[in-house]
Amino acid sequence: MLIILPAIALLAAFFLYPLANIVWLSFTEPEVGVGNYTKLLNDGVSVTVLVRTLVTAGLVGLLTLLVAYPYAYAMTRVSARTRGILTILVLLPFWTSLMARNFAWYLLEQRGGFIEQAMSFIGIKDVVLLGSLAGVTVAMVQVMLPYMVLPLYTSLSSIDRRLMDAAVSCGAPWWKAFRTIYLPLSVPGMISGFSLVFIMSLGFYITPAILGSPQQSLISQLIATRVTQLLDFGGGGALGVILLALTLLVLGLVTRLAIRPKGGRLK
């Protein structure tokens, strides 16, 4: 018990205390009560930004899953050496500064950048992603990709491929065997990866701040504006508490899905 006391003290000092302070400010500034929360519910801008953040985080999670699933599946099918190379490639973003990656996307998405030139080459003119929610989403997918690939690979690598071989040997087409056997067995990895990406995307700040626009800001930008420019610590704290509540809600739903009894049968 004594061994974990320093860890508990650090957690209390650098996480629990600031969190409790934010909750306290949300109920006491500028006056005691739930006024900050009622203002947010009646504030069309805050509600719009909150909904936009939820939709963007969900879209980032879905797109990341669509990109990461074939990649993680390929990692389970190649040799150990090739798997090591694929792992290094997916971990490269961890070894690069997030700020540097965002500015790289800034150059790619700006007017006259590589993306606009490439789209113009195939006949699609004036595709400028900088300053749009689409550009923010694309960059967030690239940043979040490792957080989806690694849980997926862990889940897929534990699936016994002999089940697929048995289904195919019994006359089932490979696509049907994949849909009825392999895909359901990979659902836990899909859920864990999606939930991780979704929760992290809810609080993204740097990428939307650099690549987005004030008209399409996300909740983290709104919190920063309230605190640093408007000095509305109570309103910013209320937004932070709402974001925390949404995160805990997602975690609760994921936990419920993860521990749900797995019934059913193969057809």
Side-chain angles (χ1 to χ4, degrees):
M1 183 63 182
L2 294 177
I3 297 179
I4 64 174
L5 285 179
I8 295 176
L10 288 174
L11 181 64
F14 295 103
F15 178 75
L16 296 180
Y17 172 73
L19 179 60
N21 192 39
I22 290 174
V23 175
W24 174 259
L25 289 175
S26 70
F27 286 103
T28 59
E29 291 287 341
E31 58 185 17
V32 178
V34 294
N36 289 315
Y37 294 92
T38 57
K39 289 179 182 178
L40 291 178
L41 293 178
N42 296 324
D43 182 4
V45 174
S46 298
V47 174
T48 300
V49 171
L50 181 60
V51 173
R52 183 189 299 133
T53 302
L54 292 173
V55 173
T56 302
L59 184 60
V60 169
L62 180 60
L63 294 177
T64 307
L65 177 61
L66 293 177
V67 174
Y69 196 99
Y71 194 94
Y73 179 78
M75 291 177 64
T76 65
R77 300 291 292 162
V78 297
S79 63
R81 182 175 181 178
T82 305
R83 187 181 305 116
I85 296 175
L86 293 177
T87 303
I88 292 175
L89 290 176
V90 79
L91 291 178
L92 278 177
F94 286 131
W95 305 334
T96 308
S97 168
L98 180 61
M99 190 67 70
R101 280 180 281 164
N102 283 315
F103 276 108
W105 278 109
Y106 185 95
L107 296 176
L108 292 173
E109 295 181 357
Q110 68 180 344
R111 181 168 296 279
F114 175 80
I115 293 178
E116 184 185 12
Q117 294 179 13
M119 299 302 289
S120 298
F121 181 78
I122 61 177
I124 304 176
K125 304 295 184 179
D126 297 326
V127 179
V128 181
L129 296 180
L130 185 64
S132 68
L133 202 57
V136 173
T137 302
V138 170
M140 288 176 65
V141 168
Q142 187 270 331
V143 173
M144 291 286 100
L145 194 59
Y147 298 98
M148 181 69 76
V149 170
L150 297 180
L152 270 178
Y153 169 70
T154 302
S155 177
L156 299 184
S157 62
S158 64
I159 298 176
D160 191 348
R161 292 198 56 84
R162 292 176 296 180
L163 297 173
M164 288 274 292
D165 297 335
V168 173
S169 65
C170 290
W174 70 267
W175 58 267
K176 188 173 184 179
F178 180 87
R179 179 175 61 84
T180 58
I181 298 175
Y182 196 89
L183 190 60
L185 292 175
S186 64
V187 167
M190 295 167 62
I191 292 176
S192 61
F194 180 87
S195 61
L196 180 61
V197 171
F198 179 81
I199 290 172
M200 295 184 66
S201 298
L202 286 177
F204 247 61
Y205 175 75
I206 297 178
T207 301
I210 294 177
L211 304 178
S213 65
Q215 293 76 21
Q216 294 182 327
S217 61
L218 301 184
I219 191 170
S220 57
Q221 296 168 272
L222 184 58
I223 294 174
T225 300
R226 282 182 174 272
V227 173
T228 60
Q229 298 182 17
L230 303 179
L231 300 180
D232 183 10
F233 298 102
L239 280 171
V241 172
I242 292 175
L243 183 60
L244 176 62
L246 289 173
T247 303
L248 294 177
L249 178 61
V250 172
L251 285 175
L253 293 175
V254 170
T255 303
R256 188 177 182 87
L257 289 173
I259 65 176
R260 185 178 58 183
K262 297 180 175 61
R265 57 186 178 182
L266 293 177
K267 297 182 180 180

